[in-house]
Amino acid sequence: MGTPLLRFMFYPMDQLKLLGSSMRQMVGKKFDPEKDIIDQSSKVILITGGESATPIYSFNTSTQPLYTHELMRTPVGNTGLGKETVFQLAKHNPTRIYLAARNTAKAQAAIADIQKHLSQPADIHHLPLDLSSFASIRAAADQFTSSNNRLDTLILNAGIMDILPHRTKDGYEMDFGTNHLGHFLLTTLLLPTLVNTAKKLESEGKPPDNWRVDTQS
């Protein structure tokens, strides 16, 4: 049984939404990051990586999949959309970008690769973060706020899918706990910094839409 079929069996609505999004992109205007991303000067940006997890399945005699609790994890922020988002924003002069991801080695490798393809070095930092753990989320927020009093853009890019029933360390279903509760807690902890940034921008006469939270999980 192939992975696409398993995805549709266990997450039919998610798959239909993805199909609809893809179709809209096919007929819509093409986004050009070089031209469409505004200048990011003075801005601090945080992008979550999270994880995509591919479960290892076994099957019983009735062909029902049994979850073995073994996951092959790949931090999304280190590859694919997360890495490309960091790369494209880094080309527009931000003060600092944080790539929040679980795997330190892969995050550092991604940052090094991004720097290699930039015309000039950017200030990009890895922020250790496991969205399936409330303790890790609180530690990441504390680490960020201890060294930053500004946050202009929070991009919630992380997420997992294609896993069978499993629980986070805090006892929640893994998909719900990571994709939704994890990002909700992180946003709540960073919200005071986001609000203070907005107030500072307003006092400087800058548009209120100069700060934002983007959720893609």
Side-chain angles (χ1 to χ4, degrees), residues 16-66:
L16 289 173
K17 288 179 182 179
L18 288 173
L19 177 60
S21 176
S22 298
M23 293 179 67
R24 286 194 298 272
Q25 292 180 34
M26 289 174 62
V27 300
K29 178 183 176 182
K30 183 177 180 180
F31 177 76
D32 184 348
E34 297 289 345
K35 299 178 180 179
D36 295 332
I37 295 178
I38 64 173
D39 181 50
Q40 301 293 305
S41 295
S42 78
K43 295 192 176 189
V44 177
I45 303 167
L46 193 157
I47 302 171
T48 66
E51 299 168 350
S52 66
T54 304
I56 301 174
Y57 299 102
S58 62
F59 293 87
N60 61 19
T61 54
S62 62
T63 70
Q64 296 297 318
L66 299 174

Side-chain angles (χ1 to χ4, degrees), residues 152-212:
D152 298 84
T153 305
L154 174 61
I155 300 178
L156 308 176
N157 168 68
I160 61 172
M161 63 186 302
D162 295 341
I163 65 170
L164 294 180
H166 186 45
R167 293 188 180 274
T168 67
K169 296 175 182 178
D170 302 286
Y172 297 96
E173 190 275 323
M174 181 63 77
D175 193 331
F176 179 67
T178 301
N179 297 353
H180 302 283
L181 296 182
H183 274 147
F184 182 87
L185 176 59
L186 180 65
T187 303
T188 300
L189 295 172
L190 296 178
L191 192 58
T193 306
L194 285 162
V195 171
N196 288 336
T197 301
K199 290 180 178 179
K200 184 175 186 297
L201 291 172
E202 187 176 8
S203 69
E204 296 172 352
K206 296 180 180 178
D209 60 353
N210 266 14
W211 70 278
R212 62 190 299 160

Side-chain angles (χ1 to χ4, degrees), residues 6 10 41 59 113 123 131 148-149 165-166 172 180 184 186 214:
L6 282 174
F10 291 100
S41 295
F59 293 87
D113 187 58
D123 192 0
L131 283 165
N148 295 276
N149 59 10
H166 186 45
Y172 297 96
H180 302 283
F184 182 87
L186 180 65
D214 291 317

